[in-house]
Amino acid sequence: MKDPVEIQRRLDQIQQKIGIAFRNPALLKEALSHSSFANENPSISPHDNERLEYLGDAVLQLISAEYLFKGRPAAAEGEMTQVRSSMVNTQALAALSEDLGMGEYLLLGKGIARGGGRNLRSLLANAFEAVLGAIFQIGRASCRER
């Protein structure tokens, strides 16, 4: 998909679905851009989602660690680590991504799109983390503006 109008329509749809409006839609486009799309379409999406995925993974680890720390005051470190691993693994994140219908919004290169990339659990999980990283970025931007 190279049509800028169609890309913008999809960005608008996912923003509505997740209930967050991005002042900078390029950040959301980056979060949804697989490296294959960015490589094939550098003028449309000059960056892929890998850096945002990295950030989103760290945010997710922190959020889940705090949740378990507060919610299980008697739990030992090893137990919390084991529970956190089951909460934020590829399968769990892919399921959350599927619940949002995120696969239809992914910007994929031609080959991976034809090969069923919109349903690949690893890509869905990665996109979920990247979108979370993008959301974290907009939250940080709001904090700096105050």
Side-chain angles (χ1 to χ4, degrees), residues 10-11 14 27-34 49 102 105-108 127 130-131:
R10 287 181 180 215
L11 293 176
I14 189 131
L27 188 61
L28 180 58
K29 185 184 347 174
E30 181 179 334
L32 296 170
S33 293
H34 185 261
N49 65 0
M102 203 172 284
Y105 304 106
L106 293 178
L107 299 172
L108 303 173
V131 170

Side-chain angles (χ1 to χ4, degrees), residues 10 31-37 40 49 90 94 97-98 101-128:
R10 287 181 180 215
L32 296 170
S33 293
H34 185 261
S35 58
S36 62
F37 184 83
E40 290 176 16
N49 65 0
T90 298
S97 190
E98 286 172 336
M102 203 172 284
E104 73 180 273
Y105 304 106
L106 293 178
L107 299 172
L108 303 173
K110 293 174 191 170
I112 199 158
R114 277 188 294 238
R118 294 186 190 291
N119 299 314
L120 283 176
R121 303 200 52 81
S122 59
L123 293 187
L124 292 169
N126 293 347
F128 186 88

Side-chain angles (χ1 to χ4, degrees), residues 68 72 74-86:
L68 292 170
R72 295 178 179 225
E77 175 193 6
E79 178 188 343
M80 290 187 294
T81 299
Q82 191 173 27
V83 172
R84 184 182 64 200
S85 292
S86 68

Side-chain angles (χ1 to χ4, degrees), residues 12-143:
D12 292 343
Q13 286 176 338
I14 189 131
Q15 288 178 91
Q16 217 170 18
K17 196 171 261 194
I18 64 176
I20 296 174
F22 283 72
R23 277 189 239 145
N24 178 4
L27 188 61
L28 180 58
K29 185 184 347 174
E30 181 179 334
L32 296 170
S33 293
H34 185 261
S35 58
S36 62
F37 184 83
N39 288 335
E40 290 176 16
N41 304 283
S43 64
I44 296 173
S45 188
H47 304 288
D48 63 40
N49 65 0
E50 291 175 3
R51 287 177 53 84
L52 285 171
E53 175 195 342
Y54 170 81
L55 181 60
D57 177 64
V59 170
L60 191 56
Q61 293 295 324
L62 177 62
I63 291 168
S64 58
E66 181 185 39
Y67 174 80
L68 292 170
F69 182 82
K70 288 182 177 178
R72 295 178 179 225
E77 175 193 6
E79 178 188 343
M80 290 187 294
T81 299
Q82 191 173 27
V83 172
R84 184 182 64 200
S85 292
S86 68
M87 288 171 52
V88 297
N89 63 34
T90 298
Q91 298 307 315
L93 298 179
L96 291 169
S97 190
E98 286 172 336
D99 289 347
L100 292 169
M102 203 172 284
E104 73 180 273
Y105 304 106
L106 293 178
L107 299 172
L108 303 173
K110 293 174 191 170
I112 199 158
R114 277 188 294 238
R118 294 186 190 291
N119 299 314
L120 283 176
R121 303 200 52 81
S122 59
L123 293 187
L124 292 169
N126 293 347
F128 186 88
E129 288 178 332
V131 170
L132 183 59
I135 291 167
F136 178 77
Q137 285 294 94
I138 63 173
R140 298 283 297 161
S142 294
C143 291

